[in-house]
């Protein structure tokens, strides 16, 4: 099965991300599409496994296979967690709705470490730009401020909201280069400090609900297996609880 076919025929959830989902889109903003596809279980019984992710087939489109998506979400990967909370859902089937219903199961205080680590990496790039070019890439500075704000609020409330709301205009001013770099740098430092404080008393659990997510994944895989070609009687018997050679 071609990767493009997996995305076209087996996507369970698709959304728009980037500036449009964050409430920061302007006239020239791209439309970044992200999705989750469920590879048929029978594909995993071959030596050559289905891909964990697929880029395309459309421009600015990227999709993950469900298991890989869940693994990254359990690790509190910022991009994956935000994908689950996009306000711009383009398509979702019954399995996708079950995935969205699990959003809280993926959230934990691990987010403090992962969001902070990602932010530090982006900050180093901005500082390198300042040393080399005398100014940061302002668009990247804007998105880092947005990420730090989102992380702080998640740790404070236990809820991940990615739309910047009333923060749109101040953030767009940063993107336009209208806010001096020292002021932006102080803003970032304040958000980091507030995130540290929020992490110490966060309502989030220490760890995600891995068991709940795994139960969902196993059930989905089993359902897919039962939809295998009807002549594969051995597979059907095993999936339904029998052993090889048992009916």
């Amino acid at each position: 099965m071609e990767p493009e076919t997996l995305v076209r025929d087996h996507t369970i959830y698709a959304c728009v991300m980037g500036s449009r989902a964050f409430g920061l889109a302007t006239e020239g903003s791209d439309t970044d599409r992200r999705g989750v596809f469920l590879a048929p279980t029978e594909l995993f019984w071959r030596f050559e496994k289905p891909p964990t992710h697929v880029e395309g087939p459309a421009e600015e489109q990227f999709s993950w296979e469900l298991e890989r998506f869940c693994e990254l979400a359990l690790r509190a990967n910022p991009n994956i967690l935000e994908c689950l909370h996009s306000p711009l859902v383009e398509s979702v089937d019954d399995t996708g709705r079950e995935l969205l219903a699990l959003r809280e199961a993926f959230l934990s205080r691990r987010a403090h470490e992962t969001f902070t680590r990602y932010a530090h990496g982006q900050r180093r790039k901005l500082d390198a730009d300042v040393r080399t070019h005398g100014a940061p890439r302002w668009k990247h500075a804007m998105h880092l401020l947005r990420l730090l704000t989102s992380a702080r609020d998640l740790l404070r409330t236990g809820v991940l909201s990615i739309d910047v709301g009333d923060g749109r205009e101040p953030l767009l001013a940063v993107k336009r280069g209208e806010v001096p770099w020292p002021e932006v740098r102080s803003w970032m430092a304040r958000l980091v400090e507030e995130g540290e404080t929020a992490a110490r008393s966060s309502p989030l659990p220490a760890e995600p609900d891995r068991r709940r997510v795994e139960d969902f994944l196993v059930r989905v895989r089993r359902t897919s297996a039962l939809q295998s070609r009807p002549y594969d009687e051995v597979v059907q018997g095993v999936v339904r609880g029998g052993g090889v050679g048992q009916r």
Side-chain angles (χ1 to χ4, degrees), residues 28-80:
S29 295
D30 294 329
T31 300
D32 300 320
R33 289 183 164 85
R34 300 292 180 264
V36 182
F37 62 90
L38 173 63
T41 300
E42 63 184 70
L43 296 183
F44 290 91
W45 298 330
R46 305 173 181 179
F47 287 122
E48 184 176 353
K49 307 301 181 186
T52 59
H53 60 269
V54 175
E55 189 170 353
E59 292 185 10
E60 308 297 335
Q61 182 181 12
F62 193 95
S63 301
W64 295 268
E65 206 284 323
L66 177 61
E67 183 172 341
R68 178 59 173 167
F69 186 87
C70 289
E71 288 176 349
L72 293 172
L74 286 169
R75 297 177 194 171
N77 179 289
N79 292 324
I80 299 294

Side-chain angles (χ1 to χ4, degrees), residues 6 10-13 35-41 44 50-54 63-74 80 84 93-100 102 106 213-222 224:
L6 287 169
H10 298 279
T11 290
I12 63 171
Y13 171 65
V36 182
F37 62 90
L38 173 63
T41 300
F44 290 91
T52 59
H53 60 269
V54 175
S63 301
W64 295 268
E65 206 284 323
L66 177 61
E67 183 172 341
R68 178 59 173 167
F69 186 87
C70 289
E71 288 176 349
L72 293 172
L74 286 169
I80 299 294
L84 277 172
D93 66 6
D94 288 343
T95 304
R97 278 185 278 272
E98 287 191 65
L99 175 64
L100 292 179
L102 285 172
F106 294 107
V213 174
E214 188 172 57
D215 287 347
F216 160 71
L217 182 61
V218 169
R219 178 164 44 79
V220 168
R221 290 278 192 242
R222 181 180 293 115
S224 174

Side-chain angles (χ1 to χ4, degrees), residues 157-172:
T157 66
V159 177
L160 180 58
S161 178
I162 68 173
D163 190 303
V164 300
D166 294 340
R168 172 181 167 85
E169 290 309 318
L171 288 170
L172 288 178

Side-chain angles (χ1 to χ4, degrees), residues 129-196:
D129 287 338
V130 172
R131 290 193 299 269
T132 304
H133 306 293
R137 285 174 287 185
W138 293 110
K139 178 179 178 179
H140 292 188
M142 174 192 72
H143 281 298
L144 179 51
L145 287 166
R146 181 207 64 78
L147 180 76
L148 289 169
T149 302
S150 180
R152 179 203 61 188
D153 293 347
L154 168 62
L155 292 165
R156 281 178 173 176
T157 66
V159 177
L160 180 58
S161 178
I162 68 173
D163 190 303
V164 300
D166 294 340
R168 172 181 167 85
E169 290 309 318
L171 288 170
L172 288 178
V174 172
K175 181 182 179 181
R176 294 190 296 264
E178 297 171 359
V179 184
W181 173 240
E183 186 175 332
V184 172
R185 191 172 55 198
S186 296
W187 187 355
M188 290 176 179
R190 184 173 68 255
L191 287 171
V192 169
E193 182 178 348
E194 290 172 353
E196 294 282 352

Side-chain angles (χ1 to χ4, degrees), residues 101-112:
L102 285 172
R103 285 184 293 196
E104 64 180 27
F106 294 107
L107 296 178
S108 72
R109 291 199 294 273
R110 285 187 178 188
H112 179 236

